[in-house]
Amino acid sequence: MNIAEAKNIFLVAKEAQNVTGRTLGTYQEVFKKFLEYLYSQNMYDISVIDASHIREFIVKLKAGRKGITVHKYFRVLRTFFRFLHQEDYIDSNPMKAIKAPKKEKKAMRTFTAAEISKLLNAFDRTTYFGMRNYCVMAMFFSTGMRKGELRNLTLSDVNVTTDLIRVEGKGQKERYVPLGRTLRRVTLPRFYGHTERVIK
């Protein structure tokens, strides 16, 4: 089977599984580089790819890229070849012979209470946009939500009776986070009662 055809079959299958657009974009990014490498080696058929070819590709990726990026490419290729093997498009999975590349572990710096207070107090809450921006930052600090999660939040997700916020995260996984004292005090749903989205 042609590698481009195998890629398209995989992408259609993942789209049918309702993966996010962001995930599909990551797949496309990885395949672009992987196919460029294969074509440079005059390789066009999926059946001729073995572990040594994938290792060489990963080694080339390491030049000028962070470990976390290389690990992302590895994960996509592992998912791709596992799919091809499970669907009987290839006889064996070359990724089984390859260990995941190490990625650097860095401690994430957190804000101090004083820094959070200083940032929140910088907004002029007597204005619409000042209050809106205050609410955005208060939501980030209080819930730990990602940018995309906050952007997609609607009023129906905020329950002021139970003090819980429904969040739809990566892979459409649902979780609940507490509203928190700060957010309860500014009463987000009342402030944005005229619009469907919490943040606009």
Side-chain angles (χ1 to χ4, degrees), residues 86-112:
Q86 290 175 342
E87 296 291 322
D88 294 325
Y89 290 112
I90 54 177
D91 295 328
S92 60
N93 181 359
M95 292 299 294
K96 284 188 175 181
I98 304 175
K99 291 184 178 181
K102 293 182 178 180
K103 53 182 179 179
E104 63 270 19
K105 295 180 180 179
K106 293 184 179 180
M108 185 178 295
R109 182 188 177 279
T110 58
F111 288 97
T112 65

Side-chain angles (χ1 to χ4, degrees), residues 7-76:
K7 177 203 73 172
N8 291 335
I9 291 173
F10 171 78
L11 290 175
V12 169
K14 289 302 175 181
E15 194 167 358
Q17 291 177 9
N18 205 29
V19 300
T20 65
R22 182 175 180 177
T23 298
L24 287 173
T26 298
Y27 290 156
Q28 293 281 17
E29 173 194 339
V30 172
F31 283 131
K32 183 177 184 295
K33 291 295 182 184
F34 189 49
L35 266 64
E36 285 177 358
Y37 162 74
L38 293 176
Y39 293 162
S40 71
Q41 304 298 311
N42 294 317
M43 299 175 65
Y44 302 94
D45 195 285
I46 195 71
S47 63
V48 301
I49 301 173
D50 60 27
S52 65
H53 300 125
I54 299 171
R55 287 194 189 98
E56 184 177 341
F57 173 66
I58 291 174
V59 169
K60 289 181 179 296
L61 283 175
K62 290 181 178 180
R65 290 183 176 85
K66 294 182 178 180
I68 192 169
T69 301
V70 176
H71 199 273
K72 176 184 69 176
Y73 275 65
F74 171 85
R75 293 196 309 272
V76 171

Side-chain angles (χ1 to χ4, degrees), residues 20 22 136 139-140 143-154 157 166-170 175 197-199:
T20 65
R22 182 175 180 177
V136 169
M139 184 75 83
F140 279 137
T143 67
M145 272 192 276
R146 299 180 180 91
K147 179 176 63 176
E149 294 171 344
L150 179 57
R151 185 173 58 243
N152 295 327
L153 199 67
T154 64
D157 295 321
R166 188 184 72 85
V167 179
E168 188 174 289
K170 286 186 175 181
R175 71 181 189 278
R197 291 209 174 274
V198 173
I199 303 301

